Amino acid sequence: MLQQTQASRVVPAFERFVARFPTVLSLAQASRPEVIRAWAGLGYNRRAVALHGAAIAIEGEHGGRVPRTVDALRTLPGVGPYTASAVASIAFGAPVPALDVNVRRVVARVVDGRDPRDLGAADLAAAADAFLDREDPGAWNQALMDLGRELCRPAPRCDACPLRPRCRFRAAGPRSRAPVRRQSPFEGSARQVRGRIVAILRERRSADLATLVGAAGASAPRVVAAIDGLRRDGIVERGGRGFRLHG
Ligand code: SF4
């Protein structure tokens, strides 16, 4: 829920979602349109579909218990290497690094004195593994996530950083700032068109193309392309007056 969505927006939506589906079983037993409707305000409806699929897999294949190992977690829909490692370490204490973009930056800088883009994936994984606190890997991973977000930013705030005494990047002295990559604007984006289509279909059982074009505020070809993407992602299907939420 938090991926590319601000925590302040996620909190009330998360609480509503968990009140609506308090157990894995209740989520697994819901229909896909019910889950997509409950996802309103949480962005990226693909994640709702994946979370629903994961709940079904946990009920069907894991006896209703979230699996504890990275390998088993990776078999769940929507769970990639980062999410599997984060859940395994934070929820179950598995000694694995959870390499999100912030942790990659901290590890590469402290251990190797470089930015992560200058380090191969295998070297970065080895550095993260060597750096990991095996006594409390969950707290360690969360600490590095916070440190990367608050201090070890693309333009680092080394003077306030607790890792300063052991950081090779800091020891190498000032260097030119890495250009900061900015996310493309949401306004007018394909994401916005997709979001508007799903918002209409949350409110109605179905809608025809003309209605969706009007509601999306985009040209017909862009709306058709967005619908094609939503159909590929299992969020929308043909039916009713034209299109409806899948399931
Ligand atoms: S000392 Fe600077 S470069 Fe090193 S981890 Fe801290 S903020 Fe990042």
Side-chain angles (χ1 to χ4, degrees), residues 106 109-110 147 151-152 156-158 161 163-164 167 169-170:
V106 175
R109 285 174 170 176
V110 173
L147 194 136
L151 299 175
C152 196
R157 296 170 51 204
C158 301
C161 179
L163 294 177
R164 190 177 60 220
C167 177
F169 191 87
R170 154 92 177 176

Side-chain angles (χ1 to χ4, degrees), residues 24 28 51 53-67 73 76-77:
V24 176
L51 185 61
I56 292 169
I58 289 167
E59 283 300 328
E61 296 160 28
H62 299 280
R65 311 278 301 182
V66 176
L73 285 160
L76 299 176

